[in-house]
Amino acid sequence: LFLSHSKGGIIAKYYMDQNEDSVRCSISIATPYLGTILGYIRIFSLNEVIPNSSTIKRMLSVTKNNQKIVNIYAKVDNHILPNKNAILPGARNIMINVVGHTRILEDKKTQEAIDKELL
């Protein structure tokens, strides 16, 4: 089981796609699966999450493990722009009614969603 936030979700998916049967489930929170335009700023090592980057394209081209991913994302994420880029096709996408890329981590509904998946 992986539990990750932001780019950690991309790393977890990459690992799952390389090691097909080694991970039963991944829970990602606020992951820019389709990239973010903030990547164009090229600070904080965000160039990997430019929407059309080779990293994003390669990750999206492999879908065999998407159904094993529970993707929790904020209604409005100030780091994932546009916000629809936080949704991973084929995954179980759960929107939390919160504003903020890190604020979602402290929201009670996020913890409830994680607990539900772990039971």
Side-chain angles (χ1 to χ4, degrees):
L1 170 73
F2 284 128
L3 177 61
S4 57
H5 175 254
S6 199
K7 282 192 338 183
I10 292 172
I11 294 166
K13 182 180 179 331
Y14 178 80
Y15 180 88
M16 290 172 71
D17 291 343
Q18 300 303 309
N19 302 281
E20 191 166 337
D21 295 322
S22 65
V23 180
R24 175 181 60 87
C25 175
S26 176
I27 301 172
S28 60
I29 304 167
T31 297
Y33 282 111
L34 303 180
T36 176
I37 61 173
L38 290 183
Y40 290 111
I41 297 173
R42 298 193 187 270
I43 57 172
F44 305 120
S45 301
L46 292 177
N47 55 322
E48 298 96 352
V49 293
I50 292 172
N52 289 319
S53 71
S54 61
T55 301
I56 295 295
K57 286 180 181 177
R58 185 173 46 248
M59 181 204 47
L60 291 175
S61 71
V62 181
T63 61
K64 63 186 173 189
N65 289 300
N66 288 12
Q67 73 280 357
K68 294 181 183 178
I69 298 173
V70 177
N71 178 39
I72 302 170
Y73 66 99
K75 182 175 183 179
V76 178
D77 191 310
N78 56 320
H79 291 185
I80 303 174
L81 303 169
N83 202 64
K84 67 179 180 153
N85 286 7
I87 299 170
L88 178 64
R92 184 152 173 261
N93 295 286
I94 302 170
M95 187 196 62
I96 303 295
N97 190 15
V98 66
V99 175
H101 188 70
T102 56
R103 183 154 292 155
I104 191 171
L105 295 171
E106 61 190 34
D107 193 277
K108 181 179 174 183
K109 296 289 185 187
T110 301
Q111 184 62 55
E112 289 172 1
I114 293 168
D115 289 346
K116 183 179 178 184
E117 292 305 317
L118 294 177
L119 292 178

